[in-house]
Amino acid sequence: MKLNHVNLTVTDVAAARAFLQKYFGLKVGGERGNAFAALFDDDGLVLTLMKGTQVSYPATFHIGFVQESEEKVNEINQRLKDDGFDVAPPQRAHGWTFYVEAPGGFTVEVLA
């Protein structure tokens, strides 16, 4: 059995949607104004975003996008830096990984 649906409460649905589309290739399956978006990947994931005024995830909470290679992790890291995101270089931990604070109030891990 695989987990294939996650809902995130975010402060800015449009910004979070655009971020996930641009850097992780998610596709919009439906929207309700600036209050809701349903995003899909090519492997059956359904990630929904719902607008909330008080977004407070625990410090260690994050979602992750596993990449096929360390080179892809490096590429995404550089694209984020080039676009003005404050990201540290990838490092060896439980793989080749880095974290980024996404628009809307949640953290994303990128790893291989």
Side-chain angles (χ1 to χ4, degrees):
M1 183 178 311
K2 110 180 170 177
L3 175 66
N4 58 9
H5 174 64
V6 175
N7 179 77
L8 296 175
T9 301
V10 297
T11 57
D12 187 334
V13 171
R17 176 190 42 78
F19 175 85
L20 293 166
Q21 285 180 285
K22 180 174 184 175
Y23 298 104
F24 303 104
L26 298 184
K27 297 170 187 73
V28 177
E31 294 181 280
R32 276 187 242 129
N34 290 323
F36 173 84
L39 302 169
F40 300 87
D41 73 2
D42 294 332
D43 196 37
L45 171 69
V46 179
L47 176 60
T48 54
L49 306 171
M50 298 180 105
K51 174 118 174 111
T53 55
Q54 295 183 10
V55 175
S56 179
Y57 290 107
T60 59
F61 176 83
H62 63 278
I63 62 171
F65 290 96
V66 178
Q67 303 302 307
E68 64 272 5
S69 67
E70 292 182 2
E71 291 76 21
K72 185 69 176 170
V73 172
N74 294 340
E75 175 189 314
I76 294 170
N77 184 272
Q78 189 61 54
R79 285 179 58 212
L80 288 162
K81 282 182 188 175
D82 291 348
D83 289 346
F85 286 90
D86 182 21
V87 291
Q91 61 182 357
R92 185 104 20 235
H94 49 280
W96 190 240
T97 185
F98 72 92
Y99 296 84
V100 60
E101 295 301 316
F106 61 100
T107 301
V108 173
E109 180 182 12
V110 182
L111 70 151

